[in-house]
Amino acid sequence: MHRSHRVAGALVGSAVGDALGAPFEFGPPGQFSARFPVPARGAKTEMCSGGPVDREPGEFTDDTQMALLVAQSLLANDGLDEADLFDRFVRWAEAEPPDIGAQTRAVLRCGAVAAAEHFATTGRAAGNGSLMRATPAAIWFSRFGTEATMDAARRISALTHGDPAAGEGCAIFSELMRVALDGGDPLEAVPSALALVADERRERWATVLAPSWTPADATESNRAVWPTLGQAVWGLRRGRDFAEVMRLIIDLGGDTDTVACVAGGLAGAVYGMGGIPMRWSSAVHGRVPGFGDQRWGLADLQELAAALDGKPLVKYEPGVISRIGPTEVLPGIWAGNLDGARYSAEDFAVISLCRLGDPFPHEVHRMAYVADNEWNHDLDAVLADVLDDLAALRADGRRVLVHCHGGASRTGLVLRGWLVREKGMSVEEATAHVAERWPHLGLWNASFTAALERLRPAEG
Ligand SMILES: [Mg+2]
């Protein structure tokens, strides 16, 4: 898998976990599966409202807000400037975000030396509030090796969390992230990361990160840093894909947004952007109190992730192209190109297979991670995710509009895939069927046709 898929997956995955877990925050175990016994792929998904703070479905919380502050400070200063970052935290806290953690608020109200003092006077500071924002710096410093990664993690943690235990948790997390972004197995890297933890704190961390540890063994609530990272690593060990990791984690209850945010960062780095279900990544959004009215969405997070990995920060502007479609190619399934879809009736459920530039106004809008080339990672999983959502949206009675930039190759992949899977056609039959009805069909990606050959007709 190309590193860029992992980098985007890490940042988007952490925001997705945050937003997905938020409605269940401080609830009992099992609530996610009780509410969603099976995946919810129609117009309404598992990105729902609810929880202690009134939020829109898909809206991220303080975890991602603070992570975005870290990311922007790193970019603005070309590295870690603790004074600048602390100022950003204070400005954010002064805007009174509704869900700021008690410890973080207490420290940010008192100034830069407060974290150590707060710990000295209370002795209770090892919350998970610094771990929850650790992903952006883990991405940034991963290019500079283990020592730089763990050192920066400890320093950023210490801005609000005076207990070095919290800093060690951030350091371990960031080293696991570094390994994952390089294509390694973060679970195999646990022992080498533990070897770099301060002696007096190693044993407690080794306990919660051991393969035999389960959430039932936790000695604190998961608002503390140890069980938060312990549960995230446990979920990563147990889950077979991104979605299963999220379900396992949120079903643990308690501080669900933060644990899912931490687990989502690691799982996103492991499974990549294409491993995150598009119904979740498409819905994730939010604003950062104290920093204007910018609405952060999927494309913004992807562009930010690339910049954290050393690429230029560029907002994608596709320009204006002449519109093609929407045209009803199969019953209830329409096709178009980028601007054909952008300016279509807003009651369409839109499935986008290309980058968009400015977001669309449509209420139901899914964005899949597919490139118009032969280098997609795990195209089978992405195609299955798209076809499953397409089936669910059709079952909801929605007109579905499938499009990519030119409406040719990627759009054709999904239309042909629909016929193979839902109508039992051969790839040849499906291709002829679509070509007759959609003259824009493009067939230049051999890997797309190969993926269609691996599709099986849906059961029933
Ligand atoms: Mg939160």
Side-chain angles (χ1 to χ4, degrees), residues 221-246:
S221 92
N222 61 5
R223 296 167 88 155
V225 69
W226 300 279
T228 296
L229 187 57
Q231 289 182 350
V233 168
W234 169 86
L236 196 63
R237 256 185 235 287
R238 287 267 309 251
R240 285 160 300 182
D241 55 27
F242 185 92
E244 192 178 27
V245 173
M246 290 295 101

Side-chain angles (χ1 to χ4, degrees), residues 18 25 61-63 257-258:
D18 179 13
E25 193 178 15
T61 80
D62 59 328
D63 306 41
D257 61 327
T258 292

Side-chain angles (χ1 to χ4, degrees), residues 49-87:
S49 45
V53 173
D54 186 32
R55 274 194 205 85
E56 298 164 8
E59 189 175 354
F60 55 65
T61 80
D62 59 328
D63 306 41
T64 303
Q65 292 169 10
M66 291 196 88
L68 291 173
L69 297 176
V70 175
Q72 291 186 300
S73 179
L74 290 168
L75 289 173
N77 299 287
D78 194 29
L80 178 56
D81 178 332
E82 283 137 304
D84 173 78
L85 180 53
F86 192 82
D87 286 347

Side-chain angles (χ1 to χ4, degrees), residues 176 179 184-193 237:
L176 301 187
V179 169
D185 181 349
L187 298 172
E188 283 180 13
V190 168
S192 59
R237 256 185 235 287

